Amino acid sequence: MFKVSQLAAAVAMVVTAAAVQAGEVEVLHYWTSGGEAKSVAELKKIMQAKGHVWKDFAVAGGGGDNAATVLKSRVVSGNPPAAAQIKGPAIQEWAAEGVLANLDATAKAEKWDSLLPKVVADVMKYKGNYVAAPVNVHRVNWMWANAAVLKKAGVAGMPKTWDEFFAAADKVKAAGLIPVAHGGQNWQDFTTFESVVLGVGGAKFYNDALIKLDAKALGSDTMKKSLETFRKVKSYTDAAAPGRDWNLATAMVMQEKAAFQFMGDWAKGEFLAAGKAPGKDFLCAAAPGTANAYTFNVDSFAMFKLKDAGAQKAQGDLAASIMGTEFQEVFNLNKGSIPVRLNMSMAKFDDCAKTSSKDFVDTAKTGGLVPSVAHGMAIKPAAEGAIKDAVSQFWNDDKISVADGMKNIAKAAATK
Ligand code: GAL
């Protein structure tokens, strides 16, 4: 028989052991659309199977602007979540604040250095230490289409150049349908804009103008042509576009109301979640003129410094799970992206993903692989926000001349 004191000690030991083994992991993310929610549910399942408690902290709003605002207020008030969906240069900014946890123990044990492309690993590190775990690679410069709508309008295949695109768009219009499904939010405007710049100017110009923010490139004839093309794309969108969420624009394509959408491959996650078949119901192709280039967008989770041992253990398990083969496959099959972990089998993936995977490797060799500005991969958040605003103003107000639009973008690019 246990004495009460012995029993209490035994209970205390069990409780301590449990606290070290399992913890609550509060995860801030913005994956709330149909395809996104299905994807994040897979991570939740894996964490629950490891005995952890998943506390979902979802902040709706595509592109993550709302989530970023909420995250700031939580961290400033000294109450950060265990993990948050943060990416690109924003990871470095958060790390510089001294609030991110060091993930090196997990990264070393799991051999991340040998499992990640160096360009990705560098973004996940701050001063040589891992502070974030990458989830996937999304390609941004995609164009999606409804196969039945193209057929109805007499469009023979996916347009490869901007001229072909506008000819196709005219046919769709003549058939009484909406050529381009668009959601007028500044990250969506910029998603279209950067594909236009890439298609009109090529990868080198994209780099000079949108990443180096070179004044000469921003003032060039190629930039002028890009803005003219961008404005022309807008003339094929519908009047209800302002403010529309991206997944509702995808739904317009699915429902045969619209022909095309310029969007990253999370749109494919939406089509798949609705039971649509790639290559049959919906088509994917690189945005016109961008087949030899690839704008990448890597989602990742950064972990915040927490005191509780159970929570720290859960963070380590979360980081390891994210880079594990099981998660990398099932998550990306749902999300529309491709695994970020190298040497994964693509056998279960569809042709859009296979093209993405091949093009990711090929464009890395030719210089065509460039970070997406629209999705926070390339420049510091302050300049990114200013340029997005200038581009959206131009998109929304046809009275702003191309010359003034160029000036406004160049001015925004100088934001420190
Ligand atoms: C992107 C993000 C994706 C996607 C999209 C829409 O910035 O990287 O994972 O879900 O926003 O919310």
Side-chain angles (χ1 to χ4, degrees):
M1 268 290 275
F2 271 120
K3 283 191 192 151
V4 172
S5 60
Q6 280 175 325
L7 184 63
V11 168
M13 271 172 64
V14 171
V15 169
T16 317
V20 173
Q21 273 158 24
E24 180 183 270
V25 56
E26 187 185 17
V27 183
L28 187 153
H29 63 88
Y30 49 92
W31 288 329
T32 55
S33 76
E36 290 175 332
K38 259 186 102 178
S39 315
V40 77
E42 296 295 339
L43 187 55
K44 179 177 172 179
K45 256 193 247 162
I46 292 176
M47 287 301 282
Q48 284 174 334
K50 291 191 176 178
H52 297 299
V53 176
W54 174 279
K55 194 170 169 196
D56 204 52
F57 185 4
V59 180
D65 291 342
N66 299 346
T69 308
V70 173
L71 177 64
K72 261 181 215 142
S73 71
R74 279 285 300 264
V75 180
V76 167
S77 64
N79 180 28
Q85 200 190 337
I86 306 174
K87 52 188 179 171
I91 295 174
Q92 309 297 317
E93 291 201 338
W94 278 111
E97 296 288 322
V99 291
L100 297 188
N102 184 324
L103 304 178
D104 279 351
T106 305
K108 280 212 180 80
E110 305 285 326
K111 304 194 171 58
W112 287 7
D113 272 342
S114 60
L115 294 173
L116 287 174
K118 192 174 176 306
V119 29
V120 175
D122 287 348
V123 179
M124 303 300 136
K125 290 180 184 175
Y126 178 68
K127 296 193 171 157
N129 304 313
Y130 277 99
V131 293
V135 169
N136 61 358
V137 181
H138 271 303
R139 186 183 201 174
V140 179
N141 61 314
W142 281 117
M143 178 173 65
W144 306 92
N146 182 303
V149 170
L150 295 195
K151 204 166 166 221
K152 210 184 276 172
V155 175
M158 289 294 257
K160 293 195 172 58
T161 64
W162 285 107
D163 285 345
E164 281 178 25
F165 172 78
F166 291 123
D170 282 333
K171 287 187 181 167
V172 176
K173 211 174 182 175
L177 294 162
I178 300 165
V180 179
H182 184 74
Q185 296 173 349
N186 74 353
W187 71 271
Q188 295 188 64
D189 300 342
F190 211 95
T191 296
T192 302
F193 179 68
E194 67 180 28
S195 282
V196 170
V197 171
L198 189 65
V200 169
K204 185 178 179 310
F205 178 74
Y206 177 99
N207 248 311
D208 290 344
L210 298 187
I211 296 177
K212 292 186 191 149
L213 304 174
D214 173 59
K216 221 173 121 201
L218 289 171
S220 67
D221 282 350
T222 311
M223 196 62 190
K224 182 168 172 263
K225 182 88 199 291
S226 301
L227 281 177
E228 285 164 359
T229 308
F230 182 55
R231 178 158 278 166
K232 193 162 174 193
V233 171
K234 187 201 161 185
S235 69
Y236 291 95
T237 62
D238 67 321
R244 177 188 286 140
D245 287 329
W246 68 272
N247 51 319
L248 300 183
T250 308
M252 289 166 64
V253 177
M254 278 185 220
Q255 294 158 3
E256 301 188 14
K257 292 182 183 146
F260 299 104
Q261 183 184 18
F262 295 100
M263 191 47 65
D265 40 23
W266 46 94
K268 193 184 76 187
E270 239 23 51
F271 283 111
L272 297 178
K276 305 288 179 193
K280 201 172 137 257
D281 301 322
F282 70 96
L283 310 172
C284 64
T290 72
N292 296 325
Y294 191 118
T295 36
F296 68 88
N297 170 23
V298 174
D299 286 313
S300 48
F301 282 99
M303 315 280 162
F304 284 83
K305 279 183 187 159
L306 296 178
K307 289 203 183 81
D308 178 70
Q312 289 174 1
K313 168 82 171 71
Q315 285 179 320
D317 280 355
L318 180 63
S321 303
I322 285 172
M323 275 290 290
T325 50
E326 180 195 358
F327 170 76
Q328 287 280 322
E329 182 174 86
V330 71
F331 178 87
N332 287 303
L333 281 169
N334 283 292
K335 189 71 167 67
S337 39
I338 56 170
V340 68
R341 182 182 167 123
L342 297 170
N343 307 321
M344 289 275 302
S345 161
M346 292 299 290
K348 289 193 189 153
F349 286 82
D350 57 42
D351 287 346
C352 303
K354 283 180 182 144
T355 302
S356 175
S357 178
K358 183 182 181 302
D359 289 353
F360 184 67
V361 174
D362 291 353
T363 55
K365 290 181 195 144
T366 59
L369 183 64
V370 288
S372 164
V373 176
H375 296 279
M377 288 285 111
I379 55 179
K380 292 239 168 92
E384 183 192 308
I387 298 174
K388 279 182 177 168
D389 286 348
V391 165
S392 285
Q393 268 166 19
F394 176 80
W395 173 268
N396 288 325
D397 185 353
D398 289 342
K399 287 199 223 64
I400 299 176
S401 68
V402 168
D404 283 346
M406 285 169 72
K407 270 188 221 143
N408 294 344
I409 293 169
K411 209 168 133 205
T415 309
K416 289 282 174 254

